[in-house]
Amino acid sequence: MSDYARYFNGYPASVVAQALQLIADNKLSNYLVKKYPNAHTITTDKLLYNYATDLKKRYVKNAPPFGRAAFKKQGDMVTNALGTHTYRMQGKTRKHDLAINSDLLHAPEPLLKALVVHELAHFKEKDHNKGFYQLCCYMEPDYHQLELDLRLFCVSVAMGENPYR
């Protein structure tokens, strides 16, 4: 059980205890499905690109141009990353690229949105600072709860129990 505590680093002890109890009681899948009944329908890189581009146009219009978006296998969802944001130079233009862990191909849309919002926030804020989280909450007011639920989803996947497959 303590193996999963690392998924909740930085959270208050009471939140960690609740999350670990949910896991210990084998109620994690039920919690996720009750709260988020369906998986999203964004199943290709093109659809992910369109989804992320729409969010960027709506919330971070003045950020540098968007390059690519793709689902990629990225190893352990907490140790390696759920998503990554990189940029590259194309001529004189700096383009931002997103890579989202392919384990999120089978996840609820709000959790995918939380991750895309997180990566888009890096277009403006490189570090996880106060401004970064304010931007995340501007794009998704329920960001902090979704981030916690995303971590619970990660545990579910790590246990081999993705309820959306």
Side-chain angles (χ1 to χ4, degrees), residues 59-64 96 120-126 135:
Y59 297 111
V60 285
K61 296 173 190 161
N62 297 327
H96 292 260
L120 287 175
H122 281 303
F123 280 37
K124 292 218 172 215
E125 294 283 341
K126 301 299 177 215
L135 183 54

Side-chain angles (χ1 to χ4, degrees), residues 8-18:
F8 308 101
N9 285 342
Y11 283 90
S14 61
V15 172
V16 175
Q18 286 178 322

Side-chain angles (χ1 to χ4, degrees), residues 1-11 16 19-20 23 75-79 82 147-148 150-159:
M1 192 53 51
S2 62
D3 291 345
Y4 298 117
R6 69 187 177 95
Y7 285 70
F8 308 101
N9 285 342
Y11 283 90
V16 175
L20 294 177
I23 296 163
D76 179 275
M77 290 184 12
V78 169
T79 304
L82 285 170
E147 183 185 78
L148 177 61
L150 181 57
R151 290 173 182 276
L152 290 168
F153 174 79
C154 291
V155 170
S156 179
V157 169
M159 294 171 65

Side-chain angles (χ1 to χ4, degrees), residues 7-77:
Y7 285 70
F8 308 101
N9 285 342
Y11 283 90
S14 61
V15 172
V16 175
Q18 286 178 322
L20 294 177
Q21 191 62 53
L22 194 62
I23 296 163
D25 292 345
N26 292 316
K27 294 182 178 178
L28 186 53
S29 290
N30 289 340
Y31 167 81
L32 290 168
V33 171
K34 184 176 180 183
K35 193 164 185 181
Y36 310 104
N38 302 305
H40 64 77
T41 57
I42 302 160
T43 56
T44 66
D45 292 348
K46 183 175 182 174
L47 290 172
L48 178 62
Y49 176 85
N50 292 339
Y51 181 78
T53 300
D54 288 346
L55 287 171
K56 181 195 174 294
K57 285 178 184 175
R58 195 172 326 151
Y59 297 111
V60 285
K61 296 173 190 161
N62 297 327
F66 197 86
R68 301 181 275 232
F71 286 105
K72 295 192 178 196
K73 187 65 182 159
Q74 294 181 280
D76 179 275
M77 290 184 12

